[in-house]
Each structure stands twice: as C-alpha cells, then as structure tokens.
Amino acid sequence: MRLVFVAGLALCSSLAFGCQRSPAKPSRAECTQVAEHIAELIISHYTAHPTEWFAAVEAEEGDSGLPPELTQETFAGYLATEPGKTWLLMRRGQTLAGTQQGIDLCVSNATKAQAHCLLAAKTRDDVVACDDKHAKKDTSPGSGSTESK
C-alpha cells in the first residue's frame, strides 16, 4: 500500500512544479482532474505489469490485504477474481487519495500548460516527460544550474 502512495505522490509531485513565467494557473477542478487521471495511469500501469506490482506490494511494510498464499505467478489471475477485484478497488482508492494530496500544490504552483500536458498523458513515461518539460529549474546556489527562471 505504501509504495502505491509513494508512486502516486511521485507522479503527482509533477503537479507541484510549474513554470513561474506563465501567469495562467489551473483551476482546482483541473487539478482534481489531473490527480484522478494520474491515479488511473498508475493503476493502469500496474495492472498491465502485474509482476512489477506484486514485487512492489511485497516490498511494502504492513498488511497488503493480499492472501498470504499468493505468488508472483498467481497474482495476475487473482486480480481477475471477485476478491481480487475488491482488492483492486481498494488500491484504486488508495492511489487516488495519494494523488489528491497534490491538488493544493497544483493549484498554487502548476501552470495550465502543465495540467493540460498531464491530462493528455497516456503513460507513466508521458507524465515524466510533462514534468521534465514544465518543472521549475533549480537555480539556487549550489544547484549547478546557471539557467534563469
């Protein structure tokens, strides 16, 4: 559970870093849409990569909610069962809760262009590309950057 939150927050953290030059800020509704979209991308990614997801869940601390007899080989099949679908719904909710933690930062720091880029993202790599394209550059002393904001 913790890793899904971390993944959600890591992907959603891109919401927090908009370019200060652009005065156009996204609305709370747009930022909420972005959070929901990123949560769905996370779930889509992991359901398409059940081996990766199982490894991530196994690395979490605490109770994952999965039956102890599940293995990496049986995990994908489990997701298609009724208990697996219930577990997936629980994870979807946890992931959404994690991405929604970035909504306030999105409203205050992101740009409309960044929000639109994230809403158009189809994969985790697309989200990272949006972050790379729209993130603030660290020009603080010691950052190594000479780029101006």
Side-chain angles (χ1 to χ4, degrees):
M1 172 167 36
R2 188 176 207 193
L3 185 58
V4 174
F5 278 127
V6 171
L9 290 174
L11 289 174
C12 197
S13 70
S14 64
L15 297 173
F17 302 108
C19 183
Q20 285 185 336
R21 291 183 195 177
S22 176
K25 296 286 188 185
S27 67
R28 178 163 294 282
E30 288 170 315
C31 288
T32 300
Q33 287 177 331
V34 169
E36 291 168 354
H37 181 66
I38 288 175
E40 282 305 312
L41 288 177
I42 292 167
I43 294 299
S44 294
H45 173 82
Y46 277 126
T47 54
H49 301 90
T51 302
E52 180 183 341
W53 199 1
F54 186 80
V57 170
E58 279 212 316
E60 296 172 0
E61 293 180 21
D63 183 13
S64 67
L66 290 173
E69 67 274 5
L70 274 182
T71 65
Q72 195 169 39
E73 293 76 27
T74 60
F75 181 64
Y78 170 76
L79 292 176
T81 67
E82 289 306 313
K85 290 175 185 176
T86 300
W87 183 85
L88 185 58
L89 279 173
M90 178 192 75
R91 282 299 171 129
R92 181 172 272 117
Q94 292 168 342
T95 302
L96 180 57
T99 60
Q100 286 178 334
Q101 291 179 11
I103 291 173
D104 287 340
L105 289 172
C106 171
V107 170
S108 61
N109 296 330
T111 64
K112 269 194 178 290
Q114 185 177 16
H116 289 247
C117 182
L118 291 168
L119 285 170
K122 303 275 190 250
T123 66
R124 183 167 61 177
D125 290 341
D126 292 346
V127 172
V128 172
C130 287
D131 186 34
D132 290 345
K133 181 177 180 180
H134 297 282
K136 287 181 182 178
K137 304 295 183 217
D138 183 2
T139 58
S140 60
S143 71
S145 177
T146 57
E147 218 176 298
S148 62
K149 290 184 183 178

